[in-house]
């Protein structure tokens, strides 16, 4: 598994793939429900927008090209 390659997946001991939020080495990633692939860019989850950097890490307290993201990952357009 490469944490810098978009689309990586994490296989669980039972052979299935982890889905949902993953915290690894203090970094937060989102693995999609349709197969566990790591997501990047803007993702809408349960009515909230999150920005995941090109390496998949959740961006907090930062800027994207046209938006501000606060410490809770909320989008301010």
């Amino acid at each position: 598994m490469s944490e810098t390659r978009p689309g990586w997946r994490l296989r669980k001991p039972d052979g299935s793939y982890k889905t949902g939020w993953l915290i690894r080495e203090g970094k937060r990633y989102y693995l999609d429900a349709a197969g566990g692939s790591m997501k990047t860019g803007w993702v809408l989850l349960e009515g909230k927008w999150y920005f995941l950097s090109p390496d998949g890490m959740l961006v907090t307290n930062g800027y994207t090209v046209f938006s501000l993201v606060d410490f809770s990952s909320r989008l301010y357009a």
Side-chain angles (χ1 to χ4, degrees):
M1 174 175 76
S2 169
E3 292 185 11
T4 59
R5 184 174 48 93
W8 60 260
R9 301 187 302 171
L10 179 63
R11 189 182 302 259
K12 299 190 297 189
D14 68 4
S16 65
Y17 289 99
K18 167 84 173 120
T19 60
W21 287 108
L22 169 70
I23 299 173
R24 187 173 180 95
E25 298 177 4
K27 299 174 184 174
R28 197 167 180 184
Y29 302 88
Y30 184 75
L31 309 175
D32 83 4
S37 292
M38 182 195 70
K39 303 301 283 180
T40 60
W42 288 107
V43 178
L44 178 61
L45 302 169
E46 299 178 7
K48 296 180 183 176
W49 284 99
Y50 298 91
F51 184 73
L52 306 167
S53 67
D55 67 356
M57 187 174 57
L58 176 66
V59 174
T60 59
N61 279 338
Y63 289 89
T64 64
V65 177
F66 297 106
S67 308
L68 168 67
V69 179
D70 74 7
F71 72 95
S72 66
S73 300
R74 277 185 286 213
L75 167 65
Y76 294 91

